[in-house]
Amino acid sequence: MRIDIVTIFPEYFGALDVSLLGRAREDGILDVKVHDLRAFTHDRHRTVDDKPYGGGAGMVMKPEPWGEALDAILDQVAAPGATTDADGDANADGDIVDHDAASVVGTGLSAGAADARPRHRRETDPIVIFPSPAGEVFTQAMARELSGASHIVFGCGRYEGIDQRVFEYAESRASVRLVSLGDYVLNGGEVAVMAMIEAIGRLIPGVIGNPESLVEESHEDGLLEYPSYTKPAEWRGYAVPPVLTNGNHGAIAVWRREQQLERTRRVRPDLLPPAQ
Ligand code: 6GU
């Protein structure tokens, strides 16, 4: 899977080098490129925001850098056989892509107004995700669906949001989704994108060594997971539930199911079907 991330804080994504996802990148299962939105500005101050039309508090992200960033990423994949970075150097500069190279700016390849209308989508078309507290809520089912995509572009907004026309333009070039982690407010999309990439990435075949560990975990069957124990059988006066230590696998399966149901009823009754 290819993942492009557009952000004004590329440093947030250093954590993608470690653990399972870092390994998946080394193994070539995940191809992640982080793009600095400011590389698509042309003024001395590399301005990415401005005051909202109509007044109000806060600043809004300007559409022009977003348009250029999306064009650079989507033109590159749309072009047959394009395997290098937008700067054309086969990513020799590492995975934080340096779009400041003059060759990227104003290539003339970007879609003009005539191209800015919706077109038929294919399975392999890129999906553009804008993290937003105003989006649909991210779930395990959505992570599973997205783990089958071949290319996802994440656009991280900051400030009061991104100029609405950016979403309309993105719609003309890709499938676009606004996605929220839940009902609370973050300062920007970066942390949300890290969470989504981890949830999606671990579902891609080959990323997790033992795929069975994916089956029996919270949310995969709509319930919370059962509690786990390891040695010693007694620790600081706390004993492991005896059913787990006597080798009766049928009894263990029944106990674990009961624990899942009890836990879900107690902390997340919203996950259970309505009582008859
Ligand atoms: Cl995806 N973005 C922001 N800024 N805040 C959020 C969120 C996303 N999900 C929950 N809160």
Side-chain angles (χ1 to χ4, degrees):
M1 177 187 292
R2 166 147 178 183
I3 293 178
D4 289 277
I5 303 164
V6 182
T7 173
I8 56 169
F9 294 121
E11 309 88 326
Y12 263 97
F13 297 95
L16 289 174
D17 291 339
V18 297
S19 192
L20 282 175
L21 295 183
R23 163 70 72 82
R25 294 176 75 183
E26 280 173 20
D27 292 349
I29 298 172
L30 262 187
D31 174 17
V32 185
K33 291 190 170 58
V34 183
H35 310 262
D36 185 348
L37 181 69
R38 290 192 201 277
F40 301 94
T41 59
H42 304 288
D43 63 311
R44 231 157 50 83
H45 302 289
R46 314 227 285 168
T47 312
V48 292
D49 62 329
D50 206 337
K51 291 173 299 202
Y53 270 115
M59 299 287 268
V60 176
M61 291 189 113
K62 295 163 62 59
E64 301 97 319
W66 278 107
E68 289 196 27
L70 291 172
D71 286 347
I73 293 165
L74 297 174
D75 287 348
Q76 191 191 346
V77 244
T83 52
T84 58
D85 285 352
D87 55 359
D89 65 359
N91 207 20
D93 50 351
D95 286 315
I96 294 192
V97 181
D98 176 14
H99 289 284
D100 284 339
S103 62
V104 197
V105 183
T107 53
L109 289 172
S110 50
D115 295 320
R117 57 182 116 78
R119 57 187 176 76
H120 184 67
R121 308 261 171 254
R122 288 167 302 178
E123 274 299 288
T124 54
D125 278 354
I127 298 170
V128 178
I129 294 179
F130 291 101
S132 163
E136 54 181 323
V137 175
F138 188 68
T139 60
Q140 186 66 20
M142 197 190 295
R144 196 158 276 294
E145 178 194 338
L146 291 169
S147 71
S150 51
H151 186 200
I152 304 178
V153 181
F154 289 100
C156 301
R158 282 264 151 184
Y159 313 108
E160 298 308 303
I162 303 173
D163 187 301
Q164 185 63 27
R165 293 166 293 181
V166 172
F167 305 113
E168 291 167 32
Y169 176 68
E171 278 279 6
S172 76
R173 301 209 51 176
S175 298
V176 176
R177 295 173 83 159
L178 267 61
V179 180
S180 167
L181 286 197
D183 294 337
Y184 46 84
V185 179
L186 303 170
N187 283 333
E190 283 78 6
V191 167
V193 166
M194 281 299 296
M196 290 186 235
I197 290 176
E198 185 151 315
I200 295 165
R202 62 196 293 286
L203 298 176
I204 299 172
V207 172
I208 286 198
N210 175 11
E212 277 190 30
S213 62
L214 293 174
V215 179
E216 296 192 0
E217 56 191 14
S218 290
H219 300 296
E220 275 298 337
D221 59 3
L223 299 175
L224 303 185
E225 68 191 345
Y226 52 79
S228 300
Y229 299 85
T230 186
K231 287 196 275 289
E234 187 175 318
W235 174 75
R236 297 192 175 183
Y238 299 90
V240 170
V243 62
L244 298 178
T245 61
N246 62 21
N248 182 341
H249 296 290
I252 291 171
V254 169
W255 181 84
R256 285 178 167 168
R257 193 72 186 173
E258 285 168 359
Q259 292 290 313
Q260 283 193 285
L261 285 165
E262 191 279 320
R263 222 180 214 190
T264 309
R265 219 176 283 126
R266 184 161 39 86
V267 280
R268 292 297 304 279
D270 56 297
L271 296 177
L272 293 169
Q276 301 303 312

